Amino acid sequence: MPKIRPPALARSTKVVLLVLVLAGGGSCRVVDQRGSDPRYDVLIRNGRVVDGTGAAWFYGDIAVSGSRIARVVPAGALGDAEARDTIDARGMVVSPGFIDIQSHSRDEFINGDGRVVSKVTQGITTEIMGEAESNAPANAYTLASDSLGDTAFARANAEFRNPGGFGRWLEAMVERGASVNVGSFLGATTVRLYSKGMAAGEATPAELDTMRAIVREAMEDGAFGIGTALIYPPGNYVSTNELVELAKAMAPYGGIYITHMRSEANALLEAMDEAIAIGARGGVPVEIYHLKAAGVRNWPKAAQAIAKIDSARLAGLDVQANMYPYVAGGTGLAACLPPWAAADGKLFDNIRDSATRARITAEVLADTSEWENLCSLSTPSNVKVVGFQSEANKPFEGLRLDSLARLRGKNWVETVMDLTLEEQGRLGSLFFMAREENLVLQMRQPWIKFGTDAGGFDPDSATRLTHPRAYGTFPRILGHYVREQRVMPLEEAIRKMSSAVATRLGIQGRGVLREGMYADIVVFDPEAVIDNATYEEPHRLSTGIRDVLVNGVAVVRNGAHTGAKPGRVVRGSGALE
């Protein structure tokens, strides 16, 4: 292919003044094309560019100056332009960085090293947190409940007291060093804790006033909206009316109501009705976390759930959803116990009391539909228990709940309560409840997006089992569902990983490969990308993601983390300048 000469302006002057009107502000530096200073910082040449919009791929070159994309052109159109770093993307796909709409890396960014190795090696360049809980705003109630009394976690969060606590938390994550961009919803559980602690019951007018005030302040600090988890206490103590009031408080700031609904199983459709009603009454869009129909008896409801979202959208209500590509979900083992048992922070006391313990056992075994009975829905043989900390219990790591019960000589409910006490509520579980065919059906919906529902890990230091989605969510979609199963075109998958999330959350300057946008870029091998993490061995990095840039800085080169931490804060549209 003959070289294409630079544009006429570049040929007619010694000095090229490259002036771009950049999305979100900023400008490129002035460089002397004929001097020793290279024209660009990074050049990515000869890749198959999938720009994130859903448009068909094309062979192209991308030039980066500083933190921004300076040029996106057909392959060869940059001629002999030079850069400090050139990436040959021949045979590779070049796409926008992936935006994880449901991250749980809060502790890694505050108390860890911020590299989130398991995330960046799957192409994630931005993580959005805030399901149920956020580190801010903090007060005595929230600090007392942090990680069930984890004093190190509470000490770290003490600096995020109001006023301005939410904004200080966002800044602290990048100041301490983050390899990815970070943003968050305001956790609705945090709002509830802040005003009412672990007490059950309706919020008083004064408590509601407090809630509204901290919602408004968090929105001005950059929250994307309010994130709920309504199957866990104290989140499931919150009434529909209370959530409507919080939605009304964030509506003037463009906030989104994003929800882990009250049920994903027996009452899935009713829970969707509540979520849609909250959005309609509160005047805000609705986003459903990790959409699924959980439990064999509920698998036929997946098509009904999709139809419900389509119907709401036809009626003019902005309802969308996201998902992860696994049949198992993961949460704390204590979620197998009725919510009332944790009221007022008395879970451990209630488990120790023989009469209350008998009441808990009877209610769990009765399989009531009053709350999301995860262990019964999955059945004990489909519950894998993980995260043991005590030396005496570590040999049990990864065993199924029915096996644990047999080893300990008790029924499975007694075993759950005993282990919750022994491990101080910190055990996790994997619940195998979803259906593969339903995952495929959901992926094909135009309003679906993807999230990991996981925190970031370093496989070199990780010791406890976790869900494989922490390492493999996005490569699994690209490798298994796009390349092998042909569930959707590559361009559509990339859109759902990038611009669909940026558009949904109003994130400016990211999600698309376009001149002036931030240079969050992934280079991957479409024939090799795949997840390697399994339920038995989750701490295995994905393969095929070769290079990752965040704000123009390489955080992954040739599949390995560079150690760079160029992440920045991303904020919602209501943030004050």
Side-chain angles (χ1 to χ4, degrees), residues 137-142 187-199 201-215 234 238 242 246:
N139 67 0
Y141 281 142
T142 67
T189 294
T190 300
V191 175
R192 173 82 179 193
L193 285 168
Y194 190 98
S195 62
K196 201 173 177 67
M198 285 292 293
E202 289 279 348
T204 66
E207 289 166 345
L208 271 177
D209 282 344
T210 298
M211 293 179 184
R212 294 187 191 99
I214 64 173
V215 167
V238 179
E242 187 175 313
L246 299 187

Side-chain angles (χ1 to χ4, degrees), residues 276-332:
I276 294 169
I278 290 167
R281 291 172 57 191
V284 296
V286 174
E287 179 78 19
I288 297 172
Y289 275 131
H290 45 57
L291 182 67
K292 69 174 75 71
V296 174
R297 75 187 82 161
N298 297 305
W299 286 352
K301 295 178 181 177
Q304 294 172 275
I306 290 169
K308 191 176 285 290
I309 293 175
D310 286 339
S311 294
R313 293 184 62 78
L314 284 171
L317 299 174
D318 186 356
V319 182
Q320 301 183 32
N322 55 75
M323 62 178 289
Y324 47 73
Y326 296 89
V327 295
T331 191

Side-chain angles (χ1 to χ4, degrees), residues 468-496:
R469 64 195 180 200
Y471 286 79
T473 294
F474 292 91
R476 179 171 180 79
I477 294 165
L478 294 171
H480 179 66
Y481 290 103
V482 172
R483 183 181 66 243
E484 297 173 359
Q485 299 297 318
R486 300 184 183 277
V487 170
M488 58 190 148
L490 175 63
E491 293 88 345
E492 177 65 0
I494 297 295
R495 184 189 68 81
K496 290 172 176 174

Side-chain angles (χ1 to χ4, degrees), residues 43-235:
L43 279 177
I44 304 173
R45 292 186 178 273
N46 302 311
R48 284 170 51 190
V49 176
V50 179
D51 68 7
T53 66
W57 66 265
F58 63 93
Y59 287 113
D61 295 341
I62 297 175
V64 175
S65 289
S67 63
R68 303 275 188 161
I69 296 173
R71 300 290 303 277
V72 179
V73 298
L78 290 174
D80 57 359
E82 296 181 354
R84 289 184 173 86
D85 186 14
T86 298
I87 297 173
D88 183 0
R90 197 178 306 273
M92 301 285 145
V93 167
V94 183
S95 78
F98 308 145
I99 304 175
D100 184 357
I101 197 172
Q102 190 182 12
S103 166
H104 295 291
S105 295
R106 295 182 297 128
D107 191 40
E108 178 65 16
F109 293 128
I110 292 299
N111 296 316
D113 72 2
R115 291 183 304 138
V116 288
V117 177
S118 70
K119 293 296 191 73
V120 295
T121 52
Q122 50 176 308
I124 293 168
T125 58
T126 301
E127 295 198 56
I128 307 299
M129 292 156 279
E131 181 200 2
E133 295 178 306
S134 44
N135 291 45
N139 67 0
Y141 281 142
T142 67
L143 297 176
S145 68
D146 275 337
S147 295
L148 296 174
D150 184 330
T151 54
F153 196 73
R155 281 196 302 271
N157 290 344
E159 65 186 271
F160 308 132
R161 293 175 181 267
N162 264 12
F166 194 89
R168 287 199 303 279
W169 168 51
L170 294 179
E171 293 294 343
M173 286 190 281
V174 298
E175 287 169 359
R176 296 178 192 190
S179 289
V180 299
N181 305 305
V182 299
S184 185
F185 286 84
L186 170 63
T189 294
T190 300
V191 175
R192 173 82 179 193
L193 285 168
Y194 190 98
S195 62
K196 201 173 177 67
M198 285 292 293
E202 289 279 348
T204 66
E207 289 166 345
L208 271 177
D209 282 344
T210 298
M211 293 179 184
R212 294 187 191 99
I214 64 173
V215 167
R216 288 191 291 267
E217 185 163 309
M219 294 303 296
E220 291 174 358
D221 280 349
F224 290 105
I226 294 171
T228 69
L230 302 181
I231 71 167
Y232 311 114

